[in-house]
Amino acid sequence: MSAVAHEQPITDSPSQADILLESFLSLHSPEGFRAELIEGEIIVAPPPDGDHEDYISHLIKQVIRRSKTDMSVSGSKGLRLVSGGAFPKNHVIPDATFAPEELRLFRGAPSWMEPDGVAMVTEVTSSKPDQDRIAKRHCYARAGIPLYLLIDREKSQVSLFCKPHRDEYTEVHLAAFGEPLVLPDPFGFELDTKPFL
């Protein structure tokens, strides 16, 4: 009598989302490039140009000097955010992430941290502006990040998205470059957008 091997069905096989997330987390992007996983798509972006960094620099200086709450800022903090549908968690790196200094949110945080305690994220449009205008806006709203500031170079305007609900912000304030834009608490000051001209 001989034994016949029976194949057992594999019940713990990884899902498409698990495979995508594992591939993303093991990705080694070239030096200076950054990789993000947004709604099931891996995006690899080159280092930003000088104008991009100039906008971020002017924003950070104003927040540090003028905010009524002392703020910590990170220009490369990875955030793990809930995603829509059957995608793995989004892994997004905002151009700037702000949190109240008293929280010490970045200290001891892993490379990809949860967004709890983040007060505002900022993006400056680059080669794929719709990523910042649409996809990332939905990601940040779904994660409950209170404020999303978009510096839109192509439109020459700043958009402040407030009051997240589900995957959208219910309030938006616009200012053309050169016009002031009020940043609400915990920032509590008027952002000067003249340096963006």
Side-chain angles (χ1 to χ4, degrees), residues 23-53:
S23 297
F24 169 74
L25 292 175
S26 65
L27 185 68
H28 296 288
S29 52
E31 187 175 338
F33 283 67
R34 67 181 185 192
E36 298 175 289
L37 177 60
I38 302 172
E39 298 296 277
E41 184 179 357
I42 296 174
I43 314 261
V44 179
D49 61 38
D51 288 347
H52 181 283
E53 295 303 277

Side-chain angles (χ1 to χ4, degrees), residues 135-190:
K136 286 188 176 183
R137 187 182 80 229
H138 292 309
C139 291
Y140 297 142
R142 198 178 301 121
I145 295 172
L147 301 171
Y148 171 39
L149 183 71
L150 175 63
I151 301 172
D152 196 318
R153 297 192 287 179
E154 290 76 16
K155 293 183 178 182
S156 297
Q157 77 179 18
V158 181
S159 305
L160 179 65
F161 298 93
C162 312
K163 298 184 182 173
H165 179 70
R166 296 195 179 127
D167 68 348
E168 191 55 90
Y169 286 92
T170 60
E171 200 173 287
V172 62
H173 304 274
L174 305 173
F177 285 179
E179 296 175 359
L181 178 71
V182 174
L183 295 182
D185 288 343
F187 300 91
F189 75 93
E190 200 172 76

Side-chain angles (χ1 to χ4, degrees), residues 20-191:
L20 178 63
L21 180 58
E22 186 177 323
S23 297
F24 169 74
L25 292 175
S26 65
L27 185 68
H28 296 288
S29 52
E31 187 175 338
F33 283 67
R34 67 181 185 192
E36 298 175 289
L37 177 60
I38 302 172
E39 298 296 277
E41 184 179 357
I42 296 174
I43 314 261
V44 179
D49 61 38
D51 288 347
H52 181 283
E53 295 303 277
D54 185 64
Y55 289 118
I56 291 295
S57 176
H58 282 288
L59 171 66
I60 290 171
K61 281 189 272 191
Q62 288 188 59
V63 168
I64 297 300
R65 292 175 182 161
R66 302 179 62 204
S67 183
K68 81 177 195 183
T69 301
D70 286 340
M71 287 287 164
S72 291
V73 62
S74 174
S76 57
K77 187 74 216 96
L79 299 178
R80 278 175 22 110
L81 311 175
V82 292
S83 65
F87 301 122
K89 281 197 167 197
N90 290 311
H91 288 66
V92 182
I93 304 171
D95 290 327
T97 302
F98 297 92
E101 174 66 34
E102 65 185 16
L103 298 179
R104 309 277 316 261
L105 200 62
F106 305 124
R107 181 155 193 145
S111 297
W112 297 101
M113 72 178 208
E114 301 298 321
D116 301 334
V118 170
M120 182 172 75
V121 290
T122 300
E123 298 286 356
V124 176
T125 55
S126 295
S127 58
K128 289 188 166 188
D130 283 341
Q131 279 292 0
D132 299 320
R133 293 178 188 142
I134 300 166
K136 286 188 176 183
R137 187 182 80 229
H138 292 309
C139 291
Y140 297 142
R142 198 178 301 121
I145 295 172
L147 301 171
Y148 171 39
L149 183 71
L150 175 63
I151 301 172
D152 196 318
R153 297 192 287 179
E154 290 76 16
K155 293 183 178 182
S156 297
Q157 77 179 18
V158 181
S159 305
L160 179 65
F161 298 93
C162 312
K163 298 184 182 173
H165 179 70
R166 296 195 179 127
D167 68 348
E168 191 55 90
Y169 286 92
T170 60
E171 200 173 287
V172 62
H173 304 274
L174 305 173
F177 285 179
E179 296 175 359
L181 178 71
V182 174
L183 295 182
D185 288 343
F187 300 91
F189 75 93
E190 200 172 76
L191 178 68

